[in-house]
């Protein structure tokens, strides 16, 4: 598969997962109990597929794109910074969900805020990549660049 199409497909999958999270958040607004187990599972998948696998490959692509298209540098730096924020926001949300499933009483507003922040932030991040980065990468990166991107392995597990 063409690497840009594969990149786009991963985004589509993440948007699907974020959509599942959004539906649970909507249940929350309706004063019912959301499926916390499902929410936690969705966050786990996003952390594994996104934080650990997708973002390191993107950062390898950003590095090569910045070298070939220096005008992109600032925007790419922001997106790289957003990856770090997404990790933190995911940890906060997963922490709340984990605590709830372990019987803790967490104020509803905290969970709503953590989930809504994660959803909006992640959704905007993907939209910006789709608009700004994928078309430029398709035009500028060489087959050797794409090979290096594909080889950028999962980030080593920290903590
Ligand atoms: Fe990204
Ligand atoms: Fe992405």
């Amino acid at each position: 598969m063409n690497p840009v199409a594969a990149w786009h497909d991963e985004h589509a999958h993440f948007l699907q997962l974020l959509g599942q999270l959004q539906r649970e958040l909507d249940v929350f607004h309706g004063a019912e109990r959301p499926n916390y187990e499902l929410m936690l599972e969705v966050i786990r998948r996003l952390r594994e597929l996104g934080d650990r696998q997708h973002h390191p490959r993107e950062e390898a692509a950003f590095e090569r794109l910045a070298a070939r298209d220096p005008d992109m540098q600032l925007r790419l730096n922001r997106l790289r910074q957003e990856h770090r924020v997404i990790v933190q926001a995911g940890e906060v949300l997963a922490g709340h969900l984990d605590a709830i499933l372990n019987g803790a009483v967490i104020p509803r507003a905290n969970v709503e805020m953590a989930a809504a922040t994660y959803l909006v932030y992640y959704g905007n991040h993907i939209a910006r990549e789709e608009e700004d980065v994928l078309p430029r990468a398709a035009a500028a990166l060489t087959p050797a660049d794409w090979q290096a991107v594909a080889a950028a392995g999962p980030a080593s597990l920290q903590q």
Side-chain angles (χ1 to χ4, degrees):
M1 189 191 276
N2 150 346
V4 177
W7 195 346
H8 172 75
D9 282 358
E10 288 187 11
H11 283 166
H13 182 51
F14 297 159
L15 291 175
Q16 222 174 30
L17 290 167
L18 292 171
Q20 280 185 288
L21 203 57
Q22 179 69 63
R23 281 193 290 282
E24 293 309 314
L25 190 62
D26 292 341
V27 169
F28 219 154
H29 294 316
E32 289 163 55
R33 183 190 187 278
N35 186 339
Y36 292 119
E37 292 85 354
L38 175 67
M39 290 175 81
L40 191 56
E41 185 51 36
V42 166
I43 288 288
R44 285 200 176 123
R45 298 224 12 105
L46 283 164
R47 294 176 83 191
E48 171 61 28
L49 300 175
D51 298 342
R52 246 188 114 244
Q53 299 183 23
H54 179 87
H55 293 163
R57 286 199 304 270
E58 281 186 334
E59 291 181 14
F62 293 172
E63 202 182 311
R64 279 156 185 82
L65 184 56
R68 300 190 187 284
D69 194 347
D71 288 351
M72 290 289 291
Q73 184 78 62
L74 181 63
R75 271 179 285 175
L76 295 169
N77 285 348
R78 284 188 187 142
L79 290 167
R80 195 179 296 117
Q81 183 183 46
E82 288 177 12
H83 288 167
R84 296 198 293 274
V85 176
I86 287 168
V87 169
Q88 294 302 318
E91 267 173 29
V92 170
L93 179 55
H96 286 327
L97 295 169
D98 220 22
I100 288 171
L101 289 171
N102 283 304
V105 179
I106 307 277
R108 173 198 189 98
N110 292 12
V111 186
E112 284 184 335
M113 189 172 77
T117 302
Y118 189 80
L119 277 168
V120 171
Y121 200 86
Y122 213 149
N124 287 341
H125 176 81
I126 291 173
R128 210 152 29 243
E129 288 177 343
E130 286 282 327
E131 274 173 39
D132 292 348
V133 181
L134 270 61
R136 297 253 203 165
L141 297 195
T142 65
D145 288 329
W146 288 115
Q147 248 175 15
V149 168
S156 58
L157 280 176
Q158 290 155 354
Q159 291 145 33

